C-alpha cells in the first residue's frame, strides 16, 4: 500500500494535517493505535488562532455548536478576597482581541477529534487505519500492526503525530531537553452552577483551582497538588477532596459532590520540552511529538493544531507545484519553532509563578498578575501572545511595570493591535511568495 503522506497518530494534530491534505486531494493515511475513543482528558481550551484555522477548514460552525465560549478568565487570590471581602479585580479578557476571534472556546476533546475525523472522511483521498500501531521503519517503509496482521506502508513523507511518547522521535534521535515541575494536577469534569459561565483560577499560598465551563452545564476543573501526594489524597477519600474544592470555591457545594468515584479524577503530570529539529529527511514531527508545554496556559492542543495547519498547507503546496524535495519541509520548522518557543516560555513562567509556596513569592505573584491584567499594554500583549494570532514581545519598560516597581499605565494608553503584531498569511505560509516570486 502506498500513500503520499502517512500520518502516525490520530490525535488533534495528526487529524488536522490529514484534513488539510484530504481537502487538497493529496493521498493521506492516518494510523491510530487506540481502538474507539480513549477516556483520557487531553485538553479542551481552544485558543483564537485555532478557531481561525477551523474556520478555514470549514468546521467552525460545528465546533461552535459543541463548545462553550469563554470571554474572560478571572484570577482570584483567595486571601485577598477574604480580607477585603470584595470581587476579584484581575481578569484576563479575550474580548480585547480583534474581532472575530476575540474569545476562546471549551469543547470536549473527543468531540473535537470526531469533528475533524468526520470532516476528513468526506474526502476520497483520506484513509484511516484504526487500530493501527506503528512499530518502526523497515527500510523506507513503516511497519504497522493491525488487528490481525502486520503491514508495511510506504509513503513519500511521514508525519510523526504520536504525542509525548513518540517512537519516531526516538528513532530519529532528535535531542530534547526536558523540565519537570514540583507539582502535579488532578483534573475532573462535573456539573456546574448555571451562573458559572466564565473561566476562573482561584489561588492560595500553595495551590490553585482552575474552573473552565463546558457545554451542558459541566465544568472542567484542574487542581494543583504537590508532586507525590496523589496516593495520600486517594487514601484520605473523596469527602476530603470535596472539602478542598469547597474551601476554594463554596459555589460548588452540591456540584462537586456529584463526582462519585476516584476513577473519574485523572492525575496529570506536567512536562516541558522542545526538540532541536522538527524535520529529518522526509519525516516531520508535529504536536506533542515535537514539544510539550505546561498545561497552565491551555496551549498544547492548540500548538498541535497550529503545527498541523502549517505542515498541511506546505505539503499541499509541494504536491500542487510538484516540488518534491524534502528540503522544503524546513519551511514548516522555520515558521513553527520560534512561535512554539515563545508560547513555551510564557507557559513556563506562569507555571513557575504557581510552583513555589513561599509567602513572599505569593505576594509578588499577586502584584505581577495585577499589573498584567490592569496595565492596558501588558494585558493586550499577553492576550495576543497566548491567542496564537500573533506575537507582540514585551519591552524592558513592560517588564519593569509588570514587576510592580513602576505604576501601571492609564487606560487611555491602551494600544490597538495593528497588522505588525498579527501573523499575516505571508508569515504563516512564507514559501508561497518566496518560491513563486
Ligand atoms: C491530562 C492532559 C491535560 C491537558 N490539558 C490541555 C489543555 O487544557 N489545553 C491544551 O491545549 N492542551 C492540553 N493538553 C495537551 C494536549 O492534550 C496535547 O498537547 C495535544 O493532545 C497534543 O496533540 P497531538 O495530536 O500532538 O498528540 P496526542 O493528542 O497525544 O495524540 C497522539 C495520538 O497518537 C496515537 N499514537 C501514539 N503512538 C502511536 C503509534 N505507535 N502508532 C499509532 N498511533 C499512535 C495516540 O494513541 C494518540 O491518539 C493536555 C494533555 C494532557 C495529557
Amino acid at each position: 500500500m502506498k500513500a503520499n503522506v502517512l500520518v502516525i497518530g490520530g490525535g488533534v494534530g495528526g487529524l488536522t494535517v490529514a484534513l488539510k491534505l484530504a481537502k487538497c486531494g493529496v493521498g493521506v493515511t492516518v494510523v491510530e493505535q487506540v481502538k474507539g475513543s480513549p477516556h483520557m482528558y487531553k485538553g479542551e481550551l481552544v485558543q483564537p488562532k485555532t478557531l481561525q484555522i477551523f474556520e478555514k477548514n470549514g468546521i467552525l460552525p460545528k465546533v461552535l455548536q459543541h463548545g462553550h465560549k469563554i470571554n474572560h478568565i478571572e484570577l482570584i487570590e483567595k486571601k485577598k478576597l477574604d480580607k477585603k471581602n470584595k470581587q476579584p479585580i484581575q481578569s484576563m479578557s479575550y474580548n480585547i482581541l480583534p474581532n472575530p476571534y476575540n474569545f476562546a472556546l471549551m469543547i470536549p476533546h473527543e468531540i473535537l477529534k470526531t469533528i475533524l475525523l468526520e470532516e476528513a472522511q468526506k474526502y476520497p483521498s483520506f484513509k484511516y487505519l484504526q487500530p493501527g500501531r506503528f512499530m518502526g521503519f523497515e527500510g523506507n517503509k513503516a511497519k504497522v500492526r493491525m488487528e490481525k496482521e502486520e503491514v508495511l506502508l510506504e509513503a513519500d513523507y511521514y508525519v510523526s503525530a504520536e504525542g509525548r511518547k513518540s517512537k519516531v522521535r526516538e528513532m530519529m534521535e532528535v535531542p530534547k531537553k526536558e523540565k519537570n515541575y514540583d507539582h502535579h494536577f488532578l483534573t475532573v469534569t462535573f456539573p456546574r452552577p448555571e451562573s458559572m459561565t466564565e473561566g476562573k483560577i482561584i489561588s492560595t499560598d500553595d495551590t490553585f483551582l482552575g474552573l473552565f465551563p463546558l457545554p451542558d452545564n459541566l465544568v472542567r476543573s484542574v487542581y494543583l497538588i504537590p508532586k507525590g501526594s496523589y496516593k495520600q489524597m486517594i487514601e484520605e477519600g473523596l469527602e476530603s477532596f470535596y472539602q478542598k474544592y469547597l474551601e476554594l470555591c463554596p459555589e460548588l457545594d452540591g456540584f462537586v459532590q456529584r463526582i462519585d468515584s476516584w476513577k473519574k479524577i485523572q492525575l496529570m503530570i506536567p512536562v516541558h520540552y522542545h526538540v532541536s529539529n522538527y524535520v529529518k529527511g522526509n519525516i516531520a514531527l508535529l504536536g506533542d511529538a515535537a514539544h510539550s508545554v505546561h498545561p497552565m496556559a491551555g496551549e498544547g492542543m492548540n500548538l498541535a493544531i497550529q503545527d498541523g495547519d502549517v505542515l498541511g498547507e506546505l505539503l499541499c503546496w509541494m504536491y500542487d507545484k510538484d516540488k518534491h524535495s524534502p528540503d522544503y519541509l524546513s519551511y514548516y520548522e522555520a515558521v513553527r519553532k520560534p512561535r512554539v518557543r515563545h508560547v513555551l516560555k510564557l507557559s513556563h513562567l506562569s507555571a513557575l509563578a504557581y510552583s513555589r509556596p513561599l509567602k513572599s513569592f505569593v505576594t509578588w505573584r499577586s502584584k505581577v498578575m495585577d499589573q498584567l491584567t490592569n496595565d492596558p499594554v501588558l494585558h493586550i500583549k499577553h492576550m495576543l501572545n497566548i491567542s496564537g494570532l500573533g506575537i507582540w514581545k514585551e519591552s524592558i519598560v513592560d517588564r519593569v511595570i509588570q514587576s510592580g516597581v513602576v505604576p501601571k499605565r492609564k487606560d487611555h494608553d491602551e494600544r490597538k493591535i495593528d497588522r505588525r503584531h498579527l501573523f499575516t498569511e505571508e508569515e504563516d505560509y512564507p514559501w508561497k511568495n518566496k518560491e513563486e516570486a
Side-chain angles (χ1 to χ4, degrees):
M1 198 192 289
K2 179 153 184 184
N4 296 131
V5 180
L6 180 69
V7 177
I8 304 163
V12 284
L15 289 172
T16 301
V17 73
L19 171 56
K20 277 231 140 187
L21 291 164
K23 270 178 103 99
C24 67
V26 174
V28 57
T29 300
V30 175
V31 292
E32 168 54 52
Q33 65 181 2
V34 173
K35 198 176 176 178
S37 69
H39 293 284
M40 184 184 166
Y41 168 59
K42 269 203 165 182
E44 293 161 336
L45 185 68
V46 178
Q47 299 284 2
K49 177 70 178 181
T50 309
L51 294 171
Q52 187 188 53
I53 292 170
F54 291 158
E55 170 138 61
K56 278 196 286 172
N57 286 345
I59 59 168
L60 186 60
K62 233 184 188 170
V63 170
L64 290 177
Q65 195 191 327
H66 289 91
H68 176 94
K69 277 190 186 178
I70 302 282
N71 298 296
H72 55 261
I73 301 174
E74 288 173 357
L75 305 172
I76 304 164
E77 284 287 350
K78 187 71 184 163
K79 263 196 170 166
K80 267 185 136 184
L81 202 64
D82 282 346
K83 238 191 255 166
K84 299 183 184 166
N85 196 24
K86 61 178 192 183
Q87 285 305 302
I89 45 161
Q90 299 169 6
S91 172
M92 297 199 300
S93 174
Y94 282 98
N95 295 159
I96 62 174
L97 293 169
N99 240 336
Y101 308 108
N102 56 353
F103 62 93
L105 194 87
M106 283 292 289
I107 180 168
H109 193 87
E110 290 307 313
I111 292 185
L112 179 57
K113 272 171 56 183
T114 305
I115 294 173
L116 287 163
L117 179 60
E118 284 178 358
E119 187 65 20
Q121 280 168 332
K122 290 182 185 164
Y123 298 89
S125 62
F126 176 82
K127 282 198 180 61
Y128 189 59
L129 304 181
Q130 183 190 36
R133 184 179 171 76
F134 168 79
M135 306 300 293
F137 285 110
E138 258 187 36
N140 193 29
K141 293 181 182 167
K143 194 172 11 159
V144 175
R145 182 177 295 159
M146 312 286 291
E147 230 160 0
K148 290 186 183 139
E149 53 177 344
E150 235 169 48
V151 292
L152 288 174
L153 301 179
E154 192 179 357
D156 302 327
Y157 301 97
Y158 297 91
V159 176
S160 159
E162 312 136 271
R164 283 188 186 179
K165 293 183 182 154
S166 164
K167 215 178 179 118
V168 176
R169 181 185 64 222
E170 256 171 50
M171 297 171 74
M172 285 164 80
E173 293 178 359
V174 180
K176 71 172 169 67
K177 271 194 206 147
E178 197 165 296
K179 286 190 187 108
N180 294 293
Y181 295 91
D182 62 357
H183 54 261
H184 289 168
F185 293 94
L186 296 180
T187 179
V188 57
T189 289
F190 56 93
R192 63 172 156 90
E194 246 177 83
S195 58
M196 187 182 275
T197 53
E198 298 293 345
K200 271 185 212 287
I201 295 180
I202 307 161
S203 43
T204 65
D205 288 5
D206 50 17
T207 187
F208 83 75
L209 175 65
L211 295 165
F212 299 91
L214 279 160
D216 302 325
N217 282 338
L218 296 173
V219 62
R220 161 66 56 188
S221 67
V222 185
Y223 181 67
L224 184 142
I225 58 170
K227 190 175 177 174
S229 62
Y230 177 54
K231 274 195 181 151
Q232 192 195 327
M233 286 188 71
I234 297 181
E235 278 161 22
E236 285 168 7
L238 275 177
E239 201 55 48
S240 145
F241 177 80
Y242 303 150
Q243 282 316 313
K244 290 183 176 18
Y245 269 45
L246 293 176
E247 270 161 34
L248 291 170
C249 185
E251 209 185 334
L252 294 175
D253 196 11
F255 295 91
V256 67
Q257 291 91 336
R258 298 190 35 201
I259 305 165
D260 55 9
S261 157
W262 265 103
K263 284 190 189 140
K264 299 200 173 140
I265 305 171
Q266 187 182 315
L267 176 70
M268 204 164 117
I269 300 175
V271 189
H272 172 115
Y273 60 78
H274 199 183
V275 294
S276 57
N277 312 68
Y278 286 24
V279 173
K280 210 168 186 180
N282 62 347
I283 308 175
L285 296 169
L286 167 156
D288 277 15
H291 39 73
S292 174
V293 54
H294 188 281
M296 186 74 205
E299 291 284 0
M301 176 172 85
N302 294 280
L303 295 180
I305 292 169
Q306 291 160 23
D307 284 355
D309 175 67
V310 173
L311 182 59
E313 189 79 23
L314 175 60
L315 285 163
C316 283
W317 175 86
M318 285 163 65
Y319 278 94
D320 183 43
K321 303 289 175 202
D322 214 6
K323 304 244 187 199
H324 276 295
S325 161
D327 292 349
Y328 286 111
L329 292 178
S330 61
Y331 275 116
Y332 158 60
E333 178 170 323
V335 174
R336 289 301 302 154
K337 201 172 167 194
R339 295 184 188 185
V340 171
R341 192 188 300 125
H342 193 65
V343 171
L344 253 64
K345 193 170 108 192
L346 288 178
S347 305
H348 182 60
L349 289 177
S350 334
L352 289 185
Y354 287 92
S355 282
R356 309 200 184 138
L358 298 176
K359 285 224 158 43
S360 56
F361 206 78
V362 171
T363 311
W364 170 80
R365 177 183 72 205
S366 171
K367 181 79 192 162
V368 165
M369 296 316 280
D370 191 38
Q371 298 288 92
L372 180 76
T373 51
N374 287 299
D375 177 273
V377 179
L378 282 175
H379 189 199
I380 202 153
K381 285 189 177 185
H382 183 72
M383 295 316 291
L384 178 68
N385 291 336
I386 64 169
S387 73
L389 293 169
I391 292 184
W392 191 0
K393 288 195 172 151
E394 291 84 358
S395 63
I396 294 171
V397 174
D398 293 332
R399 292 280 179 228
V400 175
I401 293 174
Q402 189 165 7
S403 69
V405 176
V406 170
K408 311 185 261 277
R409 284 161 279 211
K410 301 268 184 312
D411 271 0
H412 59 71
D413 282 344
E414 182 145 7
R415 298 199 195 149
K416 294 277 172 281
I417 298 175
D418 64 31
R419 298 296 302 171
R420 283 178 310 132
H421 306 121
L422 292 170
F423 296 134
T424 59
E425 183 90 4
E426 285 86 345
E427 286 166 322
D428 283 347
Y429 315 127
W431 56 89
K432 291 188 181 175
N433 280 346
K434 280 193 192 147
E435 298 292 333
E436 280 162 22

